[in-house]
Amino acid sequence: MFLHHPSNIDSQREAGVRRRVAVLVTIVFLAAVPSSALEIGENLFIHGFGGWAFAQTDENLYLIGDENGVWDNVQLSLNFTADIAPRARVVAQVAMTQEDELETDLDYAFGEWKFSDRARLRLGRVKHPFGIYAEIFDVGTLRPFYMLPQSIYGPQGITAKSVDGIGFLGILDSPTWSVSYDLYAGEIQGTLQVPGPFAADPDDRFQSEVVSDFEVEDVFGLRLEVSPPLAGLRFGLSAYTGEQTVVDVQQATTKQSYDVVGVHIGYEDEKWLARAEASRFDLGDDAFGADGAYAELAYHVTENWQLAVRWDWWQGDNSGLDLTQLPPFVNQLLENEDLGFAINYWFTPRFVVKLNYHVIKGNRFAFPDDPDEILRAFFTQQLEDETEMIVFGVQFSF
Amino acid sequence: MTSMFRWCLATVLLIALSVFSGVGQDAHGQREPAFRVIVHPSSTVESLPKKEVSRMFLKRRTQWPDGGQVTPVDLPESSDIRRQFSRTVHGRGVDIIANYWVREIFSGKRVPPKQLKNAAQVVEFVRDNEGAIGYVNPGAVTDEVKVLEVIE
């Protein structure tokens, strides 16, 4: 245990004040964002989206919240589209996020050639077309909850923001039905967050969580989405296959197959929004596997007020794991069930304030913040497996 | 019994509403469209199904039957004419279409049509651009543009 020196306390207080001022400035900025795109000349369009949230849990650390409350969940993305010829355009999106440190990422950047409405070719860092939300990962004005459902879109290796490679997409229309398709190939890179006891490096196994990048090579994937004549209804299938380089305990590297498949369905009208997805992930023949699913329902009580509920479930298999190398509470680490409730106030369709409450069971994403508690769990044989979290935030797009 | 009475009353009210909602229709029971879809006067297209017009304004159909580029123009989201156009042609409200565009923009697929301030600007734009298509209130239509028949 370390004692804080008074000057350290002062500097921490100053940092805290600075952080709160930054948050307030951000909120003012968010409230003042333009309601439509910035258009430069005839052919360059700048759009953006972002948000800020305060999140607090009752005990465990859970994604954007902890026991003390996290104020600095701030994110802003800018999207640039340039029509450089009647059939050619360039699209790029830059994301800035802050969770302690300010980070900047290139979400995607690609060139596109349109052969016709039925066929377009993309090259570069293209969007990862998977399910309902992968292409619009952080766009909070397109969903009722501040956070995405973690079963499909959490940092667990199913979806990524982009694919480095090639994409081929288009729309096939009949007079009443419409089918959109996406084919892609290349390499996927994403974020993987694992509980400390699962960390590859033995030194990390008493950490609460370990965040790293994951990479899937030689990826081939597709998404098909069907829109039947009933306006607002759509359903589809997403799947990809690739290979991942895995390092075992003897530091030997092997390539293992990486297969993901998912289905989705959604309906939206002025009052109701209903969405559901399910997915299956397999690494190698039997190295690891997981199932995930969620269903969300939202209803606009008035034009501005919206109520929503979501059930979000993820379950990992332990059949391929060496249980002798893992702690006795391993099954808790392979489970996440999140029941969420939301009350949202939509000032406009592009500016919303959200109040969300989550009850989480399992420890796949909810860990003790203090490594000592993990150490203690090795003796008590269990972690605190229920976490409650409240999120208050604002999200916008323009 | 009281509950049944309420259901009956609600049914009567619904029927009454549907009857009185006929006010404003012409002698043939057809409601006068609140807008006209207009194209460049040189266009050879006389009529289009509603679904095709919708796809053009959603930029899911970007070519005319003769191969020319479709250039749709919109009125502001707050415009009554746009609200009626959206409801009639897309079958969805303006807010749902706004969500569609947010999705399309950030998935990198397409950006919304150019938005002009009023009907006069739409007429001017359509007059000056060969592949253009717009919609305005009937009173704003001039001889400089061609009215496209929208069929069910």
Side-chain angles (χ1 to χ4, degrees):
Chain A
M1 190 65 127
F2 297 97
L3 289 174
H4 291 292
H5 190 273
S7 62
N8 284 345
I9 293 172
D10 287 345
S11 63
Q12 281 174 2
R13 278 185 187 146
E14 268 178 40
V17 170
R18 277 201 303 273
R19 188 180 293 170
R20 278 163 183 74
V21 169
V23 165
L24 280 174
V25 170
T26 307
I27 293 169
V28 171
F29 169 74
L30 299 184
V33 292
S35 60
S36 59
L38 305 174
E39 198 173 325
I40 299 171
E42 286 288 306
N43 301 317
L44 177 62
F45 307 91
I46 303 174
H47 294 85
F49 60 88
W52 164 84
F54 166 78
Q56 187 165 21
T57 66
D58 64 335
E59 193 155 334
N60 287 321
L61 177 70
Y62 184 69
L63 299 161
I64 62 170
D66 68 17
E67 197 177 355
N68 299 316
V70 178
W71 288 89
D72 51 2
N73 294 300
V74 184
Q75 174 250 331
L76 175 70
S77 295
L78 292 175
N79 178 290
F80 304 87
T81 303
D83 291 331
I84 54 175
R87 287 177 181 272
R89 63 198 190 109
V90 175
V91 187
Q93 188 168 293
V94 180
M96 288 160 275
T97 53
Q98 177 159 15
E99 282 169 41
D100 297 328
E101 297 287 320
L102 182 68
E103 289 178 14
T104 307
D105 274 323
L106 182 65
D107 278 353
Y108 59 89
F110 60 84
E112 181 184 278
W113 180 259
K114 187 173 81 177
F115 296 101
S116 71
D117 293 328
R118 294 182 167 201
R120 302 183 193 195
L121 178 68
R122 288 176 173 181
L123 288 168
R125 172 167 289 185
V126 302
K127 295 242 83 175
H128 183 204
F130 192 98
I132 293 174
Y133 288 120
E135 291 176 300
I136 45 166
F137 229 89
D138 296 313
V139 189
T141 55
L142 292 175
R143 59 178 188 249
F145 283 84
Y146 191 88
M147 292 191 309
L148 282 170
Q150 300 300 306
S151 55
I152 314 279
Y153 302 99
Q156 31 94 354
I158 289 181
T159 52
K161 285 185 182 174
S162 56
V163 181
D164 291 343
I166 185 169
F168 197 69
L169 64 153
I171 301 169
L172 307 172
D173 280 331
S174 80
T176 49
W177 289 68
S178 176
V179 176
S180 62
Y181 70 89
D182 287 270
L183 301 168
Y184 55 95
E187 181 179 290
I188 285 176
Q189 289 174 336
T191 304
L192 185 66
Q193 178 179 316
V194 296
F198 282 151
D201 184 344
D203 293 341
D204 289 334
R205 289 188 184 155
F206 294 101
Q207 298 295 314
S208 56
E209 59 177 340
V210 179
V211 179
S212 60
D213 291 334
F214 76 94
E215 219 173 77
V216 187
E217 300 161 334
D218 304 331
V219 168
F220 291 93
L222 70 85
R223 182 183 61 181
L224 288 174
E225 188 171 88
V226 179
S227 302
L230 176 62
L233 179 66
R234 59 195 171 125
F235 51 87
L237 167 80
S238 311
Y240 67 89
T241 183
E243 284 190 328
Q244 188 171 55
T245 304
V246 177
V247 183
D248 67 17
V249 284
Q250 280 86 34
Q251 299 298 307
T253 58
T254 53
K255 285 204 167 187
Q256 298 200 328
S257 60
Y258 198 102
D259 303 309
V260 179
V261 62
V263 289
H264 66 269
I265 184 164
Y267 173 78
E268 187 179 1
D269 64 21
E270 274 75 13
K271 289 276 184 194
W272 291 95
L273 181 152
R275 290 173 181 156
E277 293 190 63
S279 75
R280 170 72 197 170
F281 158 62
D282 283 294
L283 176 66
D285 289 337
D286 56 2
F288 186 69
D291 295 296
Y294 77 89
E296 62 188 4
L297 182 69
Y299 178 69
H300 267 283
V301 182
T302 68
E303 192 180 336
N304 304 104
W305 288 101
Q306 183 189 44
L307 301 176
V309 60
R310 183 172 74 197
W311 170 78
D312 183 20
W313 169 83
W314 183 95
Q315 181 72 59
D317 298 340
N318 68 7
S319 56
L321 302 175
D322 180 359
L323 296 176
T324 60
Q325 298 287 319
L326 291 165
F329 48 84
V330 62
N331 286 332
Q332 288 179 233
L333 300 177
L334 291 169
E335 185 186 343
N336 186 72
E337 187 171 5
D338 178 346
L339 185 62
F341 302 91
I343 300 176
N344 305 324
Y345 188 85
W346 295 81
F347 287 93
T348 77
R350 299 190 185 100
F351 188 88
V352 56
V353 174
K354 296 178 178 176
L355 180 62
N356 300 168
Y357 170 69
H358 297 263
V359 181
I360 303 110
K361 278 191 176 169
N363 300 96
R364 173 64 185 86
F365 300 114
F367 323 104
D369 204 1
D370 180 2
D372 287 346
E373 278 187 48
I374 295 187
L375 194 57
R376 254 196 311 275
F378 276 83
F379 298 102
T380 60
Q381 304 205 349
Q382 64 173 18
L383 287 168
E384 175 57 52
D385 79 337
E386 190 167 303
T387 308
E388 290 175 42
M389 181 168 79
I390 194 153
V391 180
F392 173 73
V394 58
Q395 291 176 309
F396 65 88
S397 58
F398 62 89
Chain B
M1 196 68 175
T2 312
S3 167
M4 191 175 286
F5 174 75
R6 282 181 186 153
W7 276 110
C8 291
L9 189 63
T11 309
V12 170
L13 281 173
L14 270 176
I15 293 167
L17 267 176
S18 64
V19 169
F20 286 110
S21 66
V23 174
Q25 291 177 355
D26 66 18
H28 303 287
Q30 298 294 309
R31 188 184 289 275
E32 177 76 5
F35 59 87
R36 296 278 191 274
V37 175
I38 55 172
V39 292
H40 192 267
S42 68
S43 172
T44 55
V45 180
E46 301 295 330
S47 64
L48 277 178
K50 194 163 74 178
K51 190 87 180 172
E52 283 299 294
V53 176
S54 171
R55 283 171 179 160
M56 285 179 173
F57 278 89
L58 297 178
K59 292 195 175 177
R60 294 170 75 90
R61 172 84 73 242
T62 61
Q63 287 183 311
W64 289 101
D66 66 4
Q69 181 81 15
V70 177
T71 311
V73 278
D74 255 332
L75 284 168
E77 283 176 17
S78 56
S79 151
D80 282 343
I81 299 296
R82 175 153 174 189
R83 285 180 189 280
Q84 291 176 46
F85 173 82
S86 185
R87 178 61 61 194
T88 307
V89 172
H90 297 309
R92 329 289 314 272
V94 169
D95 289 353
I96 294 287
I97 299 301
N99 281 348
Y100 163 83
W101 282 116
V102 173
R103 170 175 283 277
E104 295 298 295
I105 291 163
F106 297 118
S107 58
K109 287 184 176 154
R110 40 188 83 84
V111 293
K114 191 179 188 65
Q115 197 168 286
L116 299 174
K117 285 181 185 161
N118 53 48
Q121 286 189 0
V122 172
V123 170
E124 194 180 329
F125 184 88
V126 171
R127 179 195 68 198
D128 295 343
N129 293 275
E130 267 196 19
I133 180 169
Y135 54 88
V136 292
N137 53 305
V141 177
T142 69
D143 294 341
E144 297 171 314
V145 293
K146 178 175 171 180
V147 174
L148 191 73
E149 190 190 355
V150 180
I151 49 183
E152 286 295 324

